[in-house]
C-alpha cells in the first residue's frame, strides 16, 4: 500500500538553513513576526522574507494559505514557502497549512520551520494526507517523496501528539488505495486477501464464502453477484481493544468492486468510475486499520459485503423476488439498486451475531444524494437523534462535511410491493431517502443506527484541501474521532 511520507520532529536549529536542500516552509502568523529561526533565515536570504511578509500578497493570504519564493538567492533550497498560520488557528486551519506544504512536496523533501507553534502536530497530519500519490499502474518515474523534518521547540512533545495521526494517515491511505484500484486488480478475492493480511496488526479477520452465506439465508446479498465470475464474500474484522465481553460498535460497508448495473445496465459514459462503488467497504477497512495501528481501547467490528454486479445469463433480473437473511422478501425492480441488497443482509447479520451497542453503515449508495448535497457533504440518515448528533460533531471536528437528512415513515409507502414484502426502489423522488428507508427495515428498533451515503464525497471531481484529485478517504477521520470520543474506555 501507499505509505505516508516520513516525518521527523527536530529541535529548532537555524544554523543549517543556508545549505538546506529541497524546500523550506516557514510558518508565519498574520502579525508577520518571524521568530528567531525565521529572522535567521531572512538574514540568509538578504531580507527577502521580510519584504514578502510585508507585501500585499502575503496580507491577502487566508489562514493556511501559502506564497512561494522560488530559487531564492544565497541559500541552497529550491524554494521557500511562507505559510500563514496564526497561533490561535484551529485544527482545520493547521491541517490546511500542512496540506499547502504537502501539495508542493517533491523527491528532495522539505524542512518545515514551525518553532513553537501550538498546532504543529495538526500541521503534520495535513501535510501527510495531502502528500498522497497513487501511481502503481503508470509508466511514470515512481520516485518517492523525500523525507520531511519539522523543526519545533519541543520535538518530543509534538511527536507524541502526532503519533496517532500517523496511524490515521495510514488508514486513510489504505482506503484511498482500495478505491483507486481497478476492478481487474481489486477483485472480491483480492479485497478479502488484503483484509486478511491485517491479522498481522492484531485484527481478527474471518471470511464467509458463498456457501456460508447460503446457509445463513443471505439471498439479498447473493442475488447481486449471480452474474459475476467473482465469488461474493462477507469479511468480518474484529478489533478487541476494550473490555472483554463488552458489546462492540459495528461498522458495515458496501463493497461492490464493480457495478455495471446488472441487467439494468448503466450508461457507458462514466462507467469506468464504478470501480469506486466499494467506497463504503474501503472506509470501514481504513478505520479498522487505524484502530489496530493505534491500539484503540474499544471493541469494534467491521463487516464488508464484497460483490460484483455484472450482466450475465445467470444474473438477477428485474422482477425477481429474493429472501433476505431477516426473512423479508424483496421484489427487485432495478438491479442497479444493488448496494442496499448487500447491506440489508450484512446489517442483519451484524446485529444477529454481535448485538452491537450502535451501528453505522457507509455506502456509495445513490446518485440522488449528489443531486441533493453535491460533493461537499455526505448524507446522514438515522433512527436516533442523539447518535447522529455525535456523528455530526465528530465530522465537524475533523472537517468532513456531513448533513442530517430526513427519514420520516411517510417515505416507506414508496417501497410497497404487490408481490413481496417490499421492493428495492421507490419512485424518482427522494431517492436517497427511500434507499435509507429500505435499509432501516433491516435495523432493530433498539439499535442506534446511522446510514451514511458517501456517493458525493468518496470520489469528487477535483482535488480537495487534504487530497489530490481522486478518492478522499472521507469518513476514516470522522469515525476514528467518533470512536475516540464515544466508544473508547
Amino acid at each position: 500500500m501507499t505509505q505516508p511520507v516520513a516525518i521527523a520532529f527536530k529541535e529548532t536549529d537555524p544554523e543549517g538553513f543556508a545549505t538546506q536542500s529541497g524546500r523550506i516552509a516557514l510558518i508565519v502568523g498574520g502579525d508577520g513576526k518571524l521568530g528567531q529561526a525565521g529572522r535567521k533565515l531572512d538574514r540568509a536570504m538578504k531580507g527577502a522574507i521580510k519584504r514578502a511578509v510585508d507585501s500585499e500578497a502575503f496580507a491577502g493570504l487566508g489562514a493556511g494559505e501559502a506564497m512561494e519564493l522560488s530559487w531564492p538567492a544565497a541559500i541552497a533550497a529550491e524554494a521557500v514557502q511562507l505559510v500563514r498560520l496564526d497561533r490561535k488557528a484551529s485544527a482545520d486551519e493547521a491541517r490546511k497549512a500542512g496540506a499547502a506544504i504537502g501539495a508542493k512536496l517533491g523527491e528532495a523533501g522539505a524542512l518545515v520551520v514551525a518553532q513553537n507553534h501550538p498546532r504543529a502536530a495538526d500541521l503534520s497530519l495535513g501535510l501527510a494526507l495531502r502528500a498522497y500519490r497513487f501511481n502503481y499502474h503508470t509508466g511514470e518515474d515512481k520516485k518517492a517523496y523525500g523525507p520531511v523534518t519539522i523543526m519545533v521547540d519541543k520535538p518530543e512533545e509534538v511527536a507524541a501528539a502526532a503519533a496517532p495521526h500517523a496511524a490515521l494517515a495510514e488508514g486513510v491511505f489504505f482506503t484511498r488505495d482500495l478505491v483507486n484500484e481497478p476492478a481487474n486488480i481489486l477483485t472480491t478475492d483480492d479485497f478479502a486477501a488484503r483484509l486478511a493480511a491485517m491479522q498481522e496488526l492484531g485484527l481478527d479477520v474471518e471470511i464467509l464464502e458463498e456457501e456460508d452465506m447460503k446457509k445463513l439465508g443471505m439471498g439479498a446479498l447473493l442475488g447481486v453477484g449471480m452474474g459475476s465470475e467473482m465469488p461474493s464474500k462477507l469479511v468480518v474484522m474484529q478489533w478487541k481493544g476494550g473490555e472483554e465481553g463488552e458489546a462492540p460498535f459495528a461498522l458495515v460497508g458496501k463493497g461492490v468492486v464493480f457495478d455495471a448495473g446488472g441487467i439494468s445496465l448503466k450508461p457507458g459514459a462514466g462507467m469506468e468510475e464504478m470501480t469506486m462503488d466499494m467506497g463504503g467497504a474501503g472506509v470501514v477497512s481504513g478505520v479498522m486499520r487505524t484502530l489496530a495501528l493505534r491500539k484503540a481501547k474499544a471493541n469494534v467490528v467491521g463487516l464488508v459485503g464484497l460483490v460484483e454486479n455484472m450482466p450475465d445469463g445467470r444474473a438477477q433480473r428485474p422482477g425477481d423476488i429474493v429472501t433476505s437473511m431477516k426473512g423479508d422478501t424483496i421484489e427487485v425492480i432495478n438491479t442497479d439498486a444493488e448496494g442496499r441488497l448487500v447491506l440489508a443482509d450484512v446489517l442483519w447479520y451484524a446485529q444477529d451475531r454481535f448485538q452491537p451497542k450502535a451501528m453505522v453503515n457507509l455506502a456509495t449508495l445513490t446518485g440522488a444524494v449528489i443531486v441533493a448535497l453535491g460533493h461537499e457533504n455526505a448524507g446522514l440518515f438515522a433512527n436516533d437523534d442523539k447518535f447522529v448528533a455525535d456523528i455530526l460533531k465528530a465530522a465537524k471536528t475533523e472537517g468532513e462535511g456531513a448533513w442530517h437528512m430526513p427519514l420520516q415513515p411517510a417515505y416507506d409507502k414508496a417501497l410497497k410491493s404487490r408481490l413481496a414484502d417490499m421492493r428495492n426502489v421507490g419512485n424518482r423522488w427522494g431517492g436517497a431517502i427511500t434507499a435509507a428507508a429500505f435499509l432501516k427495515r433491516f435495523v432493530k428498533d433498539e439499535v442506534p443506527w446511522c446510514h451514511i451515503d458517501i456517493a458525493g464525497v468518496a470520489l469528487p471531481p477535483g482535488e480537495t484541501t487534504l487530497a489530490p484529485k481522486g478518492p478522499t478517504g472521507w469518513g476514516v477521520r470522522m469515525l476514528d474521532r467518533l470512536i475516540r470520543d464515544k466508544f473508547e474506555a
Side-chain angles (χ1 to χ4, degrees), residues 370-395:
I370 307 177
V371 174
L373 299 175
H375 297 282
E376 306 304 319
N377 290 283
L380 275 58
F381 306 81
N383 66 354
D384 185 292
D385 288 344
K386 184 180 184 304
F387 184 46
V388 77
D390 290 338
I391 295 172
L392 287 167
K393 181 180 178 182

Side-chain angles (χ1 to χ4, degrees), residues 167-364:
L168 188 56
E170 185 167 325
V172 171
F173 279 25
F174 189 62
T175 297
R176 291 178 183 175
D177 279 2
L178 290 169
V179 176
N180 264 321
E181 287 286 17
N184 63 322
I185 302 295
L186 191 73
T187 62
T188 55
D189 285 329
D190 182 79
F191 201 151
R194 295 188 192 206
L195 301 186
M198 291 202 292
Q199 291 177 111
E200 298 174 356
L201 304 178
L203 287 168
D204 290 343
V205 182
E206 179 183 357
I207 301 172
L208 277 66
E209 303 291 352
E210 289 187 346
E211 282 303 314
D212 302 312
M213 291 185 281
K214 284 177 184 176
K215 290 176 183 176
L216 290 165
M218 293 186 174
L221 184 155
L222 289 169
V224 174
M226 286 168 56
S228 173
E229 293 295 319
M230 294 295 110
S232 298
K233 297 175 183 287
L234 171 57
V235 182
V236 180
M237 298 166 280
Q238 296 185 67
W239 175 251
K240 300 175 182 178
E243 294 290 332
E244 186 175 352
E246 183 181 3
F249 173 49
L251 300 173
V252 174
K254 170 190 170 184
V256 180
V257 295
F258 186 77
D259 181 20
I263 297 299
S264 305
L265 191 67
K266 289 180 180 292
M271 196 192 290
E272 70 279 1
E273 288 195 347
M274 286 300 100
T275 58
M276 55 76 76
D277 210 21
M278 37 56 63
V283 173
V284 171
S285 303
V287 174
M288 297 306 294
R289 188 176 191 90
T290 299
L291 298 178
L293 287 169
R294 69 173 183 81
K295 309 298 183 189
K297 298 182 185 300
N299 292 335
V300 182
V301 58
L303 306 97
V304 295
L306 306 181
V307 302
E308 185 178 42
N309 188 25
M310 296 286 282
D312 181 86
R314 297 166 298 176
Q316 183 166 256
R317 298 156 288 256
D320 283 1
I321 295 176
V322 296
T323 303
S324 68
M325 181 183 174
K326 180 186 176 186
D328 288 349
T329 56
I330 304 162
E331 183 184 7
V332 180
I333 301 299
N334 187 330
T335 65
D336 193 25
E338 85 298 331
R340 64 200 70 182
L341 299 173
V342 174
L343 290 171
D345 277 342
V346 183
L347 285 167
W348 195 257
Y349 177 79
Q351 295 164 96
D352 186 63
R353 177 174 171 183
F354 295 104
Q355 291 85 50
K357 60 176 62 177
M359 183 167 60
V360 168
N361 72 258
L362 300 101
T364 50

Side-chain angles (χ1 to χ4, degrees), residues 415-435:
L415 300 173
K416 185 173 178 58
S417 168
R418 181 177 64 87
L419 300 171
D421 292 323
M422 69 194 81
R423 47 195 282 166
N424 73 325
V425 293
N427 51 42
R428 63 178 297 191
W429 311 117
I433 305 173
T434 53

